[in-house]
């Protein structure tokens, strides 16, 4: 069976850079590429029996799926579709990705995402994954941090 590279993406430049790296790595090694986006539908302030919850969940799933398709089509439009899985899941990104990492050979993320403070070197999702992942983790730096071009393995 092929190796599986799991990549977490949000809609950020850091995630796009990580996607380009992971796709190149998957192509070079023959691995499958599983691209994952975790959406967080914060319903803590809503009564559990609110009848609109299933509709909101469905909308969040659709938006998450659209995000995945848009970013993948932008960054790696010609990646072999037979070795590509797109997966959306509700929950905190680090929890979703840690679960995914259990069935992966490699977990890939960008060093920064959409949130956080400008100037942070590493986002909280990447940091937690580096500390707790059950499989090896690659944290892809932004191109600006590598003046001579991205590292190649
Ligand atoms: N919702 C998500 N789903 C999947 N992967 C994600 C998600 N959010 C972030 N990632 C992955 O983690 C990488 C780093 O993002 P992270 O969230 O750690 O940084 P940040 O947004 O800059 O800071 P913070 O979220 O701590 O405020 C992203 O480039 C992406 O690869
Ligand atoms: Mg973030």
């Amino acid at each position: 069976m092929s190796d599986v590279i799991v990549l977490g993406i949000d809609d950020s430049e850091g995630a796009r850079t990580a996607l380009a790296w992971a796709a190149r790595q998957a192509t070079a090694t023959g691995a499958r590429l599983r691209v994952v986006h975790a959406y967080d539908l914060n319903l803590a302030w809503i009564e559990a029996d609110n009848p609109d919850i299933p509709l909101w969940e469905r909308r969040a799933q659709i938006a998450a799926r659209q995000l995945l398709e848009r970013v993948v089509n932008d960054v790696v439009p010609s990646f072999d579709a037979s070795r590509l899985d797109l997966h959306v899941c509700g929950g905190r990104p680090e929890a979703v990705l840690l679960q995914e990492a259990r069935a992966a050979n490699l977990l890939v993320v960008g060093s920064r995402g959409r949130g956080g403070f400008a100037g942070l070197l590493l986002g909280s999702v990447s940091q937690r994954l580096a500390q707790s992942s059950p499989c090896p983790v690659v944290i892809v730096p932004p191109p600006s941090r590598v003046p001579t071009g991205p590292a190649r393995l």
Side-chain angles (χ1 to χ4, degrees):
M1 234 172 51
S2 315
D3 283 358
V4 176
I5 297 176
V6 166
L7 166 74
I9 62 169
D10 58 2
D11 194 359
S12 67
E13 277 313 302
R16 284 177 160 75
T17 305
L19 171 57
W21 189 91
R24 208 166 62 228
Q25 186 70 8
T27 301
T29 60
R32 295 189 65 79
L33 181 60
R34 183 167 168 87
V35 188
V36 177
H37 176 65
Y39 60 90
D40 212 351
L41 192 60
N42 186 355
L43 299 175
W45 50 280
I46 298 195
E47 286 102 44
D49 60 352
N50 187 307
D52 288 330
I53 288 178
L55 175 68
W56 296 332
E57 274 174 354
R58 188 76 202 116
R59 282 188 183 155
Q61 268 174 13
I62 290 169
R65 177 91 199 170
Q66 286 171 342
L67 182 154
L68 275 184
E69 286 171 357
R70 176 167 46 80
V71 176
V72 168
N73 286 335
D74 275 359
V75 179
V76 287
S78 49
F79 189 85
D80 178 2
S82 70
R83 288 190 298 113
L84 179 67
D85 300 310
L86 305 184
H87 179 65
V88 300
C89 184
R92 286 179 300 111
E94 57 271 28
V96 168
L97 290 169
L98 281 177
Q99 180 64 30
E100 287 285 325
R102 295 171 64 172
N105 301 92
L106 186 69
L107 175 64
V108 181
V109 285
S111 53
R112 291 295 314 276
R114 280 196 74 181
F117 300 101
L120 268 186
L121 290 181
L122 197 59
S124 61
V125 173
S126 298
Q127 186 152 7
R128 288 183 187 131
L129 293 173
Q131 286 168 344
S132 310
S133 172
C135 73
V137 182
V138 170
I139 300 177
V140 181
S144 61
R145 219 186 284 167
V146 189
T148 54
R152 289 178 191 278
L153 284 184

